[in-house]
Amino acid sequence: MKKTYLVLTLTVFALASCIIPESNHVEPDFYLLSNTVQDQNQSKFNEDHSFYLREIELPEYLKDSRLVLRPTPHTIKFRELDRWGEPLEDGIARVLAMNLQDQFNNSRYSIFPNRRKEGLRWDLAVSFSSFERIVNDRVSISAKWSARAGDGTTKSDSFSFEYVLPLPGDESEELKAYNLALYSLSQNILEELSTN
């Protein structure tokens, strides 16, 4: 009788230990930046704007895979369920390069970490100080960029670029705003280079 009770008790404990509680883990969403397709009726730049895009510089907090929310000017919050699908600096470099090369006829370029190709006209350096969603459902992007000609002369010490865009709501609109900001930055770069 004691053996039966002991076997029955051990069986109940063994079965109870096999019950796994339901997971409360929520899978994060992953996002990628993409180039903005320009209006095909726009004329492309015919000048030689071949370029080498150096490593994109970001503040340390933007190197995290989580998207950032800035509730106040002095605080940030990481969004656990919204993440970049690639390192942000790689995504920015890829999209900037595609936006730039789409806007001129002779599109020769290379991007860090690849080696600089021979005969490229410009070395571009871009440094971001913000790339995040801020309160009141807006996106804020701030960057400085500089261009150095292949012959070593500098176009300018740096140009500032700021972009703040109101958002209607969801993450897809936020991503469109980031893409549009990068397109505007590429336009800004090309306009300045074309005045040289």
Side-chain angles (χ1 to χ4, degrees):
M1 182 73 154
K2 287 184 180 181
K3 285 184 180 182
T4 306
Y5 180 70
L6 182 62
V7 169
L8 189 58
T9 304
L10 290 174
T11 304
V12 169
F13 281 131
L15 290 175
S17 67
C18 292
I19 298 173
I20 299 172
E22 186 175 321
S23 173
N24 60 359
H25 173 72
V26 178
E27 186 71 26
D29 293 321
F30 292 92
Y31 299 95
L32 290 174
L33 296 168
S34 60
N35 65 316
T36 301
V37 179
Q38 73 172 15
D39 181 10
Q40 297 301 320
N41 293 330
Q42 283 185 334
S43 61
K44 292 188 175 190
F45 291 90
N46 287 317
E47 302 170 50
D48 176 18
H49 286 306
S50 57
F51 64 93
Y52 175 68
L53 184 58
R54 296 180 171 276
E55 183 176 15
I56 300 293
E57 295 179 18
L58 294 174
E60 201 60 39
Y61 75 94
L62 287 175
K63 293 181 180 179
D64 194 282
S65 67
R66 298 171 289 183
L67 273 70
V68 173
L69 173 67
R70 186 181 286 271
T72 71
H74 306 291
T75 59
I76 60 169
K77 289 186 178 181
F78 290 106
R79 295 159 49 190
E80 295 298 328
L81 299 180
D82 298 318
R83 300 185 181 224
W84 294 112
E86 64 185 331
L88 183 57
E89 57 265 38
D90 293 350
I92 290 173
R94 178 178 49 78
V95 170
L96 263 180
M98 287 191 308
N99 284 337
L100 287 168
Q101 68 100 17
D102 282 346
Q103 296 178 53
F104 45 78
N105 290 325
N106 298 322
S107 57
R108 292 184 320 114
Y109 68 95
S110 60
I111 306 172
F112 177 87
N114 299 316
R115 273 196 225 150
R116 186 185 195 288
K117 294 178 183 174
E118 291 296 319
L120 298 179
R121 183 169 180 202
W122 298 105
D123 272 14
L124 300 176
V126 184
S127 176
F128 285 83
S129 56
S130 71
F131 199 90
E132 62 240 3
R133 189 174 195 155
I134 57 177
V135 291
N136 301 329
D137 288 326
R138 293 179 295 158
V139 163
S140 172
I141 288 94
S142 275
K144 288 189 176 197
W145 66 271
S146 64
R148 187 170 12 124
D151 62 8
T153 60
T154 302
K155 169 69 175 168
S156 174
D157 289 335
S158 67
F159 292 94
S160 293
F161 175 82
E162 290 193 38
Y163 192 89
V164 177
L165 182 70
L167 296 174
D170 65 3
E171 281 79 12
S172 67
E173 293 300 319
E174 180 180 357
L175 202 59
K176 286 179 190 174
Y178 289 134
N179 293 332
L180 188 57
L182 291 175
Y183 180 76
S184 295
L185 176 57
S186 68
Q187 287 286 99
N188 177 263
I189 292 170
L190 279 176
E191 287 168 10
E192 290 294 336
L193 295 183
S194 295
T195 61
N196 189 21

